[in-house]
Structure formats: structure tokens, C-alpha cells
Amino acid sequence: MEEDEFFGEKTFQHFCAEFIKHSQQISDGWEWRTSKDCSEGYMCKTQFQMKPGTLVSHPGTSAHVQTCLPVEEALELPPDDFEVTETTAGSEVVKYEYHVLYSCSYQVPVLYFRASFLDGRPLALKDIWEGIHECYKSQLLQEPWDTITQQEHPVLGQPFFVLHPCKTNEFMTPVLENSRKINRSVNYITSWLSIVGPVVGLNLPLSYARTASQDE
Amino acid sequence: PICTALTTGRMTDDKDVLRDVWFGRIPTCFTLYQDEITEREAEPYYLLLPRVSYLTLVTDKVKKHFQKVMRQEDISEIWFEYEGTPLKWHYPIGLLFDLLASSSALPWNIIVHFKSFPEKDLLHCPSKDAIEAHFMSCVKEADALKHKSQVINEMQKKDHKQLWMGLQNDRFDQFWAINRKLMEYPAEENGFRYIPFRIYQTTTERPFIQKLFRPVAADGQLHTLGDLLKEVCPSALAPEDGEKKNQVMIHGIEPMLETPLQWLSEHLSYPDNFLHISIIPQPT
């Protein structure tokens, strides 16, 4: 409705549109989605990954989903009671979905994500956590500015994991200040996603950065 | 009591409204899902549910009651269902009732499940800490809208804890000792920066509508509930000379559309500091 802040919904949509333009150029798979009954929309991307060699836990254990980091328990497997859907060499295909929404309460973008096997069984947070590079794990555990919780997706109404937005301004302010100093405009979404994305297994090809700094 | 005040336009004592909201109860009958495996027959369990609380916070006795007749290996995470709809524990109880069951006869009949948790529909609730985290997250978001987070961030951790303990232990005075600070605004303003609200309808795909909306217009006039709906959910309102199709319900009552939104936010918010508004079909 009103935008007296520098990062209002229209600005969000603008940066997403620019971001998606580049994504289309390099076939990176990002799309814009709107829900039927509102004008607001969000960015999303689906990617498939092989979950290497891990035995799939019995559906029953998905009830023990960790809702907050840090995750310190080792992956526990129930004794003989597991199913494995094999493709090759005991690995399994996992579908990851990443959604970038705008929070009007905090006036920042928010990253929602979920992962499931092809038959629809969801991955627990600790399974997703395993796919993340070690250096990001320690960063996340040290930095109290981000926690991952399970929340309802505000458009789809389904459970997703969310990187909490309340500290986004804290780490984005230096980025934006710096870009002003060196007089180079920056795509807020590109910068933000390049910081938070890798933490949850989402990596941006470098060409995004080159595009963002070219559009003056 | 609130009914009279808000439907006739007379403001009853404001503190009474706060108490009436806090102490609202819904008579509920919990029945075990018929396919659950039991060692003996499971009797239904009756309970008065606090409108302002959350299902998983107030149903320990329900869980214990049914687990007494079940074997440990048949018990997994508890979840609740009403007429085929899994109930979202992270929505306040009063909201769930108003939205799904207010036009049906009391008691509210809820089915209890211990198997086949609906992963696609419901958030997991592994502990009381998860409920606290969710509750505090809502309180913080509400203050981001009302005060740019200044009031909540100025509070000490023990104050945050007191809000939660007040809710958990049904302590009105303990809760409001802290919450009153979240209901203040600068003397030079006429209200909060933006009003924390969510509007729910079962007929839409989207779970709720939430937008930025100021309590005061540019000319200083206080915005009303009707103004809000006209702006963010016009389909909820009856056409000029048409028939009223919907009820606009908060805490089981229909406030007059002329009620100032700022007043509603200060008096009819849930403990999470949000106005949770249900749009439901007018019962015939």
C-alpha cells in the first residue's frame, strides 16, 4: 500500500524482475509467481539434487523434525526398518524448492525453502543441513543473526523452512553503504541472496554479480 | 459483554474488554480418531479451551487421557482435526473456532490423531519451546509494524519471558504488565505506525491477507474497520444496497464497521498483538 521505506514492495518486485532477467539468460531456473487472489508475488526456483549414498529413513521418523538450529545430533537410523528408492548406487533424487518473498512487516526479502523426495516425503531440517558446506555451518552456528524455523508459507499455506528476517537489515546495511561509497549500484536481491543462499544450499553463479554492477 | 459494547457503539470500560477477551473460552469435546489402535475404548474428553491460546499449549490433559488407552508404539506426534480439516496449532484457538466452527452447535467437536501426521499441511510442534518461539516471533513482528521494533527491542529478555509465562499460565495481570508497553504510542501520534492484522477466509487459496495499513489517515481521521476491509478485502463487505453475505468476526463477535481500527488493535488483539479477523459466510 504505502512505501516510505527504501525497500518497499515495488522495489522488491523491481529487483526480482532484474534478477529473473539474468536467470533466464543463463537458464538458472528462477520464475516469478503470483497467487490467484492478490497482486503480490514471489520468486521461486526448483532444483533437483542427488542425495549421495544416504539411506532413507523410515517415514515414521520424519515426525522428529528439528525446528531450530543448531542441529547437533548425528543422523540416527532405525535398525532394519527403512525404505530405499534407488536410482544409481544407493543415492536418491531430492527436490529443493526456494522461494523469495517480501515481508511487509520487516520490509526485507525472506527466503523460504523445503525439500522432498520424489514421492513427496519431506526432508527433515537435519537432512537438508547435511547438504550444506562446512564453512557455512560454522558461520550459521556462530552468527545469531539467522535462525531457521519451520513456518507456514504466507501464500501457499504449507510448511516451509524459513531463514528469519529480523536481522536482515543488520547484514545488508554495510553492503548497501559500501555500494554507495564506491558509486556502483547494486541489486539488493542479488546481494542478499548471495549471502543467505549458500547457507541453505542455494548457490548463485558469479555472472549475477557482474550483471548487477553493470546496470547503472 | 463485549457484544453489547461494540454492537451498540457504547464503549464499556476498556479494561473490562481486555479481561473478557483474555478469559474467553470454547467448550470442546475431543474424540479419538476411530482408526487409532486402542487397548480399551476411549471416552471423549471435554475441555474449556482458552480462545487466546494455542492447541498444543493447552491439551496436555487430552494427550494423557487418550494415551492411557493406547500402546506406546502406536503413539506418534499428536494432531487435531475438525470435519476433515487438520487444525493449525500455530493459529490461536479462537481464530480456528471462529473461522471453521462458529456457525455450528457447541461443543466444538475435535478429532484427535496420533498417526499419519499431515506433513504437507501442518507445522510440527516438537516442544513447548516451539510454541514459545512462534508466539514471540509474532509479537516481534507486530512490534515491527507498530513501533519499528523499538519497544520490543528495548525490553529485557525477562520481559519477553513474562509475556510468554503470562500466556502459558493464564495470568492476565502478569501478561498485561508488559503488554501495555506494546500498546503505547508517542504522544504526538494518534496511534501505531501500522496496524498488525491478518484477515482469514476459508474460500481463498491464500491462508491470510496481511498488508501495511495505517490507523490514521493523512487528514488525522481515525481509520475504521470498514476502511480496512474496503482497502484490503473489499469482497468481504456487502455491496451498497445489496444483502450482507459475510460476517466479520473477531473473538466470536462482529464489531461495528465504524469502530476505529486503532481501538480494535489496542483492545481486541490476541496476546501475539495481532488482530486475527475471520470472514465467514453469513449463517442462514
Side-chain angles (χ1 to χ4, degrees), chain A residues 71 78 85 87 107 161 200:
Chain A
V71 174
T85 318
T87 48
Q107 305 197 321
F161 295 110
V200 297

Side-chain angles (χ1 to χ4, degrees), chain A residues 2 4-5 105 150 152 159, chain B residues 88 120 124 141 193 214:
Chain A
E2 294 179 39
D4 52 8
E5 298 297 319
S105 305
Q150 199 189 29
E152 180 183 48
Chain B
K88 298 182 180 184
K120 290 235 168 79
H124 284 281
E141 186 180 346
R193 184 158 187 260
R214 293 196 191 274

Side-chain angles (χ1 to χ4, degrees), chain A residues 1-2 4-5 36-38 40 62-63 65 104-107 150-152 154-155 157-159 164, chain B residues 77 88 90-91 119-120 122-124 137 140-141 144-145 193-194 205-208 210-212 214:
Chain A
M1 189 200 167
E2 294 179 39
D4 52 8
E5 298 297 319
K36 267 179 274 176
D37 27 64
C38 71
E40 289 114 22
S62 67
V65 165
C104 63
S105 305
Y106 293 102
Q107 305 197 321
Q150 199 189 29
Q151 278 182 37
E152 180 183 48
V155 177
Q158 292 169 2
H164 204 272
Chain B
E77 186 172 354
K88 298 182 180 184
H90 68 286
Y91 285 8
E119 302 279 348
K120 290 235 168 79
L122 297 184
L123 302 182
H124 284 281
S137 166
K140 288 179 182 166
E141 186 180 346
L145 289 165
R193 184 158 187 260
Y194 295 109
E205 205 178 86
R206 213 170 157 202
F208 54 80
Q210 180 180 346
K211 296 202 172 139
L212 294 180
R214 293 196 191 274

Side-chain angles (χ1 to χ4, degrees), chain A residues 15 18 51 54 73 79 95 133 136 151 155 185 202 209:
Chain A
F15 283 131
E18 294 294 309
K51 198 170 188 314
T54 312
E73 300 127 48
K95 172 180 159 189
H133 198 282
Y136 293 111
Q151 278 182 37
V155 177
S185 76
L202 175 66

Side-chain angles (χ1 to χ4, degrees), chain A residues 2-216:
Chain A
E2 294 179 39
E3 281 180 37
D4 52 8
E5 298 297 319
F6 89 102
F7 197 75
E9 181 124 29
K10 290 214 169 61
T11 312
F12 166 77
Q13 290 175 349
H14 164 75
F15 283 131
C16 286
E18 294 294 309
F19 183 91
I20 289 172
K21 249 192 240 165
H22 183 71
S23 168
Q24 285 164 346
Q25 284 166 6
I26 61 170
S27 299
D28 195 32
W30 285 92
E31 306 180 331
W32 183 256
R33 289 225 190 115
T34 43
S35 109
K36 267 179 274 176
D37 27 64
C38 71
S39 59
E40 289 114 22
Y42 58 94
M43 248 181 22
C44 70
K45 175 177 175 176
T46 302
Q47 66 189 28
F48 294 90
Q49 283 169 34
M50 300 297 278
K51 198 170 188 314
T54 312
L55 298 171
V56 176
S57 34
H58 189 278
T61 65
S62 67
H64 306 295
V65 165
Q66 203 79 1
T67 57
C68 286
L69 287 177
V71 174
E72 274 143 16
E73 300 127 48
L75 179 66
E76 287 167 26
L77 293 175
D80 290 306
D81 210 358
F82 57 83
E83 303 162 21
V84 176
T85 318
E86 290 199 343
T87 48
T88 52
S91 56
E92 196 172 340
V93 178
V94 177
K95 172 180 159 189
Y96 288 83
E97 290 173 72
Y98 299 97
H99 292 207
V100 174
L101 277 81
Y102 178 71
S103 162
C104 63
S105 305
Y106 293 102
Q107 305 197 321
V108 291
V110 187
L111 183 60
Y112 289 75
F113 63 98
R114 66 179 174 187
S116 58
F117 297 103
L118 292 181
D119 61 5
R121 272 172 302 133
L123 258 72
L125 184 56
K126 67 173 152 189
D127 297 325
I128 300 177
W129 185 236
E130 269 168 28
I132 291 164
H133 198 282
E134 273 311 313
C135 71
Y136 293 111
K137 284 189 198 177
S138 55
Q139 174 190 317
L140 194 66
L141 292 173
Q142 275 163 41
E143 292 290 336
W145 43 258
D146 268 334
T147 46
I148 296 179
T149 53
Q150 199 189 29
Q151 278 182 37
E152 180 183 48
H153 189 290
V155 177
L156 300 178
Q158 292 169 2
F160 271 71
F161 295 110
V162 185
L163 225 45
H164 204 272
C166 66
K167 296 281 176 31
T168 300
N169 276 322
E170 259 179 53
F171 64 80
M172 282 306 293
T173 303
V175 171
L176 298 166
E177 276 171 4
N178 192 56
S179 81
R180 259 174 249 142
K181 265 193 218 142
I182 60 177
N183 207 24
R184 188 187 273 173
S185 76
V186 116
N187 181 319
Y188 186 108
I189 292 296
T190 305
S191 302
W192 167 79
L193 201 51
S194 68
I195 295 171
V196 300
V199 175
V200 297
L202 175 66
N203 296 295
L204 292 191
L206 279 176
S207 61
Y208 278 103
R210 278 178 243 133
T211 307
S213 58
Q214 275 160 25
D215 294 343
E216 296 286 327

Side-chain angles (χ1 to χ4, degrees), chain B residues 36-167:
Chain B
E36 301 286 335
I37 300 164
T38 58
E39 295 180 325
R40 302 188 291 289
E41 175 153 4
E43 295 286 317
Y45 191 86
Y46 292 83
L47 193 57
L48 286 174
L49 295 180
R51 275 181 161 276
V52 300
S53 191
Y54 301 94
L55 276 172
T56 44
L57 190 55
V58 298
T59 49
D60 281 345
K61 290 195 177 141
V62 177
K63 197 159 80 161
K64 286 201 177 83
H65 168 81
F66 290 116
Q67 286 180 344
K68 273 197 302 231
V69 303
M70 296 174 72
R71 293 175 311 171
Q72 195 52 39
E73 56 262 38
D74 297 322
I75 295 171
S76 184
E77 186 172 354
I78 194 173
W79 58 281
F80 304 97
E81 170 229 313
Y82 174 70
E83 291 191 345
T85 304
L87 296 178
K88 298 182 180 184
W89 67 263
H90 68 286
Y91 285 8
I93 291 167
L95 167 64
L96 289 169
F97 179 79
D98 289 344
L99 192 61
L100 302 173
S102 53
S103 55
S104 303
L106 294 172
W108 188 15
N109 286 301
I110 292 181
I111 309 288
V112 182
H113 292 259
F114 287 98
K115 284 198 321 270
S116 309
F117 191 88
E119 302 279 348
K120 290 235 168 79
D121 302 307
L122 297 184
L123 302 182
H124 284 281
C125 188
S127 63
K128 294 280 183 297
D129 290 345
I131 311 173
E132 180 180 2
H134 166 70
F135 171 71
M136 288 311 302
S137 166
C138 293
V139 172
K140 288 179 182 166
E141 186 180 346
D143 204 58
L145 289 165
K146 289 200 273 188
H147 304 116
K148 285 197 198 182
S149 302
Q150 277 161 12
V151 178
I152 195 75
N153 285 345
E154 257 166 31
M155 285 182 183
Q156 297 177 341
K157 273 215 153 47
K158 71 175 172 75
D159 292 337
H160 294 178
K161 206 64 179 176
Q162 188 168 330
L163 285 174
W164 167 246
M165 296 306 289
L167 177 68

